[in-house]
Amino acid sequence: FRNAKAASDPFNLYNTSMAGSLGGITRAGSPGSYTYSTVSGRANNPVNFVSFWDACRFANWLHNGQGSGDTETGAYTVTAAGISANTITRNAGWQWAVTSENEWYKAAYHQPASAGGDSDNYWLYPTQSNAVPTFAQANFSGNGINNTRPVGSYAANFYGTFDMGGNVWEWNEAIIFGSNRGLRGGSFNDNVSIMRANIRTLNTPTDGLSSFGFRVSQVPAPSSVVLLAIGGLAVTRRRR
């Protein structure tokens, strides 16, 4: 994505903290000819140090076919005024988007009782269980890792999505208290209790921290429901 769209990086898609021990991407060259490389051994780790607006621009790029696809239009119309006022929302006709909170929540906690889920169709934790997750099930504080882990290090949940709890907080579209956007799931820095279904947090959408990542949704062909992970980015696909 950055090699395609950030040779000059006018939108600050690269956070220099990504080159550190908690990141996974390095940058070389000068403005106009920047190139980006994945840190050895971290190709499948979730991308972190990303803001909500970085995630929106990535979703636009996917929506527009990748390559030279535009980052400012598509699923979202990204403008300086919209960023300042935090008023940008998902456009009609979207194909890829940052997950809504409802999309994220269902992918994390839902499993029909008829398919072995809890009696109310929703688990308390995103590990197909009401029991507190163990270090064998998710990456959270206290396990001695103190860093992200590759997607697929732990078992997938009912819908086939990975790391809905722990590893990195994931931005969603929810606008909370005016100037903030929602995050879900907890991170490698957080206590296991943060993974509970009733926990959400919020942050300024321009911030990109070591514990912040994101997840995207794709509109599939009608009648198709597929959930999967691509590289370090878990993807939720849903019905129209």
Side-chain angles (χ1 to χ4, degrees):
F1 169 55
R2 290 176 178 83
N3 280 319
K5 300 303 302 182
S8 297
D9 202 17
F11 302 122
N12 298 311
L13 297 172
Y14 183 71
N15 185 326
T16 55
S17 295
M18 290 176 174
S21 60
L22 294 176
I25 300 171
T26 58
R27 181 167 72 181
S30 56
S33 59
Y34 285 138
T35 59
Y36 303 87
S37 301
T38 303
V39 174
S40 178
R42 295 184 69 86
N44 289 324
N45 286 48
V47 175
N48 53 357
F49 293 104
V50 290
S51 71
F52 176 75
W53 305 119
D54 293 336
C56 288
R57 285 177 160 123
F58 179 77
N60 277 346
W61 182 68
L62 293 177
H63 173 98
N64 290 315
Q66 303 181 45
S68 61
D70 187 33
T71 62
E72 307 309 290
T73 60
Y76 308 93
T77 303
V78 182
T79 64
I83 289 174
S84 178
N86 193 29
T87 55
I88 296 171
T89 57
R90 189 185 300 187
N91 291 329
W94 66 277
Q95 294 298 309
W96 290 85
V98 182
T99 51
S100 70
E101 188 170 32
N102 284 342
E103 289 165 350
W104 196 100
Y105 191 96
K106 185 168 184 178
Y109 301 110
H110 183 255
Q111 182 174 355
S114 60
D118 198 16
S119 58
D120 66 354
N121 303 317
Y122 285 87
W123 297 109
L124 184 60
Y125 289 96
T127 49
Q128 291 184 259
S129 178
N130 291 329
V132 176
T134 68
F135 290 141
Q137 294 176 298
N139 183 17
F140 56 92
S141 177
N143 62 4
I145 296 172
N146 301 316
N147 209 323
T148 62
R149 296 202 67 195
V151 171
S153 296
Y154 307 94
N157 69 4
F158 174 70
Y159 284 111
T161 55
F162 295 89
D163 303 319
M164 300 295 290
N167 226 19
V168 290
W169 285 99
E170 294 174 350
W171 287 108
N172 63 70
E173 293 178 325
I175 300 175
I176 304 172
F177 300 122
S179 61
N180 298 286
R181 294 278 176 162
L183 296 112
R184 280 276 187 172
S187 77
F188 65 92
N189 275 330
D190 294 288
N191 185 277
V192 65
S193 63
I194 297 298
M195 297 182 201
R196 289 172 60 100
N198 64 323
I199 300 294
R200 70 198 307 214
T201 194
L202 52 88
N203 210 86
T204 304
T206 53
D207 284 354
L209 305 180
S210 64
S211 57
F212 287 6
F214 68 101
R215 197 170 291 255
V216 297
S217 300
Q218 182 190 19
V219 175
S223 79
S224 173
V225 178
V226 182
L227 298 103
L228 70 160
I230 299 175
L233 181 66
V235 176
T236 305
R237 296 181 174 181
R238 68 173 181 85
R239 293 181 187 273
R240 286 184 186 270

